[in-house]
Amino acid sequence: MASTKLEEAVEPRKKNNVKYASFCAILASMASIILGYDIGVMSGAALYIKKDLKITDVQLEILMGILNVYSLIGSFAAGRTSDWIGRRFTVVFAAAIFFAGALLMGFAVNYGMLMFGRFVAGVGVGYAIMIAPVYTAEISPASARGFLTSFPEVFINIGILLGYVSNYAFARLPLHLGWRVMLGIGAVPSALLALMVFGMPESPRWLVMKGRLADARAVLEKTSETPEEAAERLADIKMAAGIPKDLDGDVVAIPKERNGETEVWKELILSPTPAIRRILLSAVGLHFFQQASGIDSVVLYSPRVFKSAGITDDNKLLGTTCAVGVTKTLFILVATFLLDRAGRRPLLLTSTGGMIVSLIGLGTGLTVVGQHPDAKIPWAVALCILSILAYVSFFSIGLGPMTSVYTSEIFPLRVRALGYAVGVACNRVTSGVISMTFLSLSKAITIGGSFFLYSGIAGLAWVFFFTYLPETRGRTLEEMGKLFGMEDTDTAGEENAAAKEKVVEMRTS
């Protein structure tokens, strides 16, 4: 009888806490909408920008892809900013920067001003794509972390869909006005985001790093399934942060280390241990292959790809592009429910295998259409459309969300912000190269040949994922070190904590 009452008392708390963690993850992940919206809206706006500003294909592909390069500034700055002012206010900062960039693009009177708006927006995007997954991973209980840390990718896809819808909605405006409204209205979601972020708590891991144990404990009690899990998570975070186990209180003094930032760079980049090196290569490999397998060429240039497949009417092009956005969004929602059930590796391998087949189908269809420019070949057109829809579906069910989920959970606390920033930097550089070379590559080896090349890269990605990435489902963030070969993690942590305890005693005496 007593146990039944206890179960009844605990169960609502468990459900409510997961709901609260989900609420926090949703608010933080909404920062990703601004990246998705920019990707989606530029795919259609580019058709009208080229006509209105009379720019070349080279200028257009630079305009399309340069945001990814600019975002490097934001992604690296976000690591330091988030450690300085906290994860929560970094999201607000990202929204404010993108807001300014969207307005600059919306009011652009020439190509130069448009490029400057892309620069400002790119910095905001860099902040957003780095901080949203990191915050979500740090706020989430282990049992729901895969589900919750896939939210940034969900909102990227929602943003892409909103961008496609914006294209379709404003395409009938006058040429000089339509694309400006498409780009400028992107300021709206960033303004809403900045206001809503104040409803979420700070990351418990950041609070511990600042010595605010009482605040961290309060957040953990709201986002853990049981009080015992909250206490265990706090103990793990304290150990990872180098705080002695018996050092407790509302606010504790954290011993400041000399050259702390230099030490982080040294630990992660300059002289990493074999385990840290494997973690870094896993993250960089995931980010590289996610973009190198051609997703931006499909999403950014989908109207042009459909045009190459034989669809010439602008309204039909944008309508078919919207279908890509809807499909991508639906399948990313499916992925969120499978991440913690099916596991990381099975979804990742299935996703990449499906992408390989889809890219081969798309390359075949486009090659056939390209070889018969004066004839309508219905089966080839249908193959192109189905292959694109299959490609974005397979991408969204695995490789799309998995990159942010996996990267945000494998780095140790000390190097997490910098490690994720390095992964994002690789992601954005690769994305920039892919998006800024697609038109030139298509002219050099044909558009069909481009997708055959992407299928080969996806094949290499499958081999890398199969041989190098371990399963991380259900592990706490503090257990990841052991999974990647850091067998002495606990001992090192205790020794580090003991050393810091001596420093505290010396200072207080």
Side-chain angles (χ1 to χ4, degrees):
M1 186 73 175
S3 62
T4 305
K5 288 182 179 179
L6 182 61
E7 289 172 4
E8 290 175 355
V10 171
E11 190 62 26
R13 175 182 176 82
K14 175 180 176 181
K15 290 181 179 178
N16 288 336
N17 284 9
V18 173
K19 286 180 181 178
Y20 182 73
S22 300
F23 170 74
C24 297
I26 288 171
L27 288 182
S29 301
M30 284 184 68
S32 303
I33 284 182
I34 61 180
L35 170 61
Y37 183 84
D38 185 89
I39 292 172
V41 79
M42 282 301 293
S43 69
L47 300 172
Y48 306 103
I49 291 172
K50 186 177 182 183
K51 293 177 186 176
D52 188 29
L53 300 183
K54 297 178 175 57
I55 59 177
T56 65
D57 271 351
V58 173
Q59 287 177 304
L60 182 64
E61 63 184 358
I62 290 174
L63 177 69
M64 299 280 272
I66 197 68
L67 179 135
N68 296 303
V69 179
Y70 292 152
S71 67
L72 288 174
I73 300 171
S75 63
F76 273 108
R80 171 179 284 188
T81 305
S82 65
D83 285 342
W84 178 38
I85 64 173
R87 301 349 185 188
R88 187 172 65 137
F89 287 110
T90 302
V91 176
V92 178
F93 193 52
I97 296 173
F98 188 83
F99 179 85
L103 290 182
L104 283 170
M105 291 189 290
F107 288 104
V109 295
N110 53 42
Y111 183 74
M113 186 174 175
L114 186 57
M115 285 290 286
F116 180 67
R118 296 288 282 167
F119 168 74
V120 176
V123 174
V125 163
Y127 267 93
I129 59 179
M130 184 271 178
I131 196 58
V134 169
Y135 173 87
T136 306
E138 292 183 348
I139 206 77
S140 305
S143 62
R145 193 176 60 247
F147 172 69
L148 297 181
T149 50
S150 66
F151 281 13
E153 187 69 22
V154 172
F155 280 96
I156 287 177
N157 283 273
I158 291 173
I160 290 172
L161 180 57
L162 290 175
Y164 287 159
V165 171
S166 177
N167 290 154
Y168 193 77
F170 300 117
R172 292 165 185 78
L173 292 175
L175 179 63
H176 72 283
L177 184 61
W179 65 267
R180 289 181 169 87
V181 174
M182 294 174 190
L183 297 179
I185 205 170
V188 175
S190 56
L192 293 174
L193 169 67
L195 294 174
M196 288 189 291
V197 161
F198 290 101
M200 68 192 210
E202 184 50 81
S203 158
R205 286 176 172 79
W206 182 82
L207 292 171
V208 170
M209 289 171 67
K210 296 300 178 182
R212 295 164 56 182
L213 300 186
D215 292 337
R217 188 180 296 108
V219 175
L220 288 169
E221 287 174 354
K222 289 182 179 179
T223 58
S224 299
E225 295 185 352
T226 64
E228 291 76 18
E229 184 190 357
E232 185 179 348
R233 287 174 69 187
L234 180 61
D236 287 342
I237 296 169
K238 284 174 63 178
M239 187 179 71
I243 298 176
K245 285 183 179 181
D246 56 351
L247 183 60
D248 208 352
D250 290 349
V251 179
V252 300
I254 303 297
K256 291 186 177 181
E257 300 176 12
R258 288 185 170 181
N259 303 318
E261 189 174 333
T262 303
E263 288 298 319
V264 171
W265 276 93
K266 183 179 178 182
E267 184 178 345
L268 184 67
I269 307 292
L270 300 178
S271 56
T273 63
I276 292 292
R277 186 183 299 114
R278 184 182 177 190
I279 290 172
L280 181 63
L281 288 176
S282 298
V284 170
L286 260 174
H287 280 280
F288 171 77
F289 283 119
Q290 185 199 52
Q291 296 300 327
S293 54
I295 185 62
D296 275 1
S297 295
V298 172
V299 175
L300 273 175
Y301 296 102
S302 52
R304 188 175 285 248
V305 173
F306 284 129
K307 195 170 187 177
S308 299
I311 304 171
T312 54
D313 179 74
D314 277 0
N315 285 331
K316 289 182 179 178
L317 280 175
L318 296 178
T320 312
T321 301
C322 283
V324 173
V326 171
T327 303
K328 204 169 183 298
T329 303
L330 287 176
F331 276 88
I332 191 68
L333 291 173
V334 173
T336 61
F337 292 99
L338 293 178
L339 280 167
D340 287 315
R341 297 180 183 181
R344 282 44 162 171
R345 275 175 59 88
L347 280 182
L348 197 56
L349 296 174
T350 302
S351 166
T352 311
M355 288 165 59
I356 295 169
V357 175
S358 303
L359 287 167
I360 292 172
L362 180 57
T364 301
L366 289 170
T367 300
V368 171
V369 171
Q371 289 174 346
H372 303 84
D374 300 323
K376 282 277 186 180
I377 307 176
W379 70 265
V381 175
L383 178 61
C384 290
I385 295 172
L386 289 174
S387 295
I388 287 179
L389 294 177
Y391 173 80
V392 298
S393 300
F394 279 112
F395 178 86
S396 296
I397 209 167
L399 186 55
M402 199 65 68
T403 302
S404 60
V405 170
Y406 205 89
T407 307
S408 63
E409 65 187 7
I410 61 176
F411 284 103
L413 174 64
R414 177 175 168 79
V415 298
R416 183 169 300 140
L418 178 61
Y420 197 89
V422 170
V424 168
C426 175
N427 188 292
R428 294 299 90 199
V429 168
T430 309
S431 177
V433 170
I434 294 296
S435 54
M436 288 193 289
T437 58
F438 178 70
L439 298 180
S440 302
L441 182 67
S442 298
K443 289 178 181 178
I445 63 174
T446 75
I447 191 167
S450 299
F451 288 105
F452 282 129
L453 175 62
Y454 296 146
S455 70
I457 295 173
L460 294 176
W462 194 96
V463 174
F464 175 79
F465 300 152
F466 181 78
T467 57
Y468 206 70
L469 301 186
E471 180 60 68
T472 60
R473 180 181 61 164
R475 302 266 185 167
T476 67
L477 296 182
E478 284 66 39
E479 289 175 341
M480 293 296 170
K482 295 179 181 179
L483 190 63
F484 282 85
M486 297 168 66
E487 297 295 340
D488 58 344
T489 302
D490 294 338
T491 303
E494 288 174 359
E495 290 173 355
N496 188 31
K500 291 194 174 186
E501 188 174 10
K502 288 180 181 179
V503 173
V504 174
E505 290 174 353
M506 290 173 65
R507 289 187 176 185
T508 53
S509 61

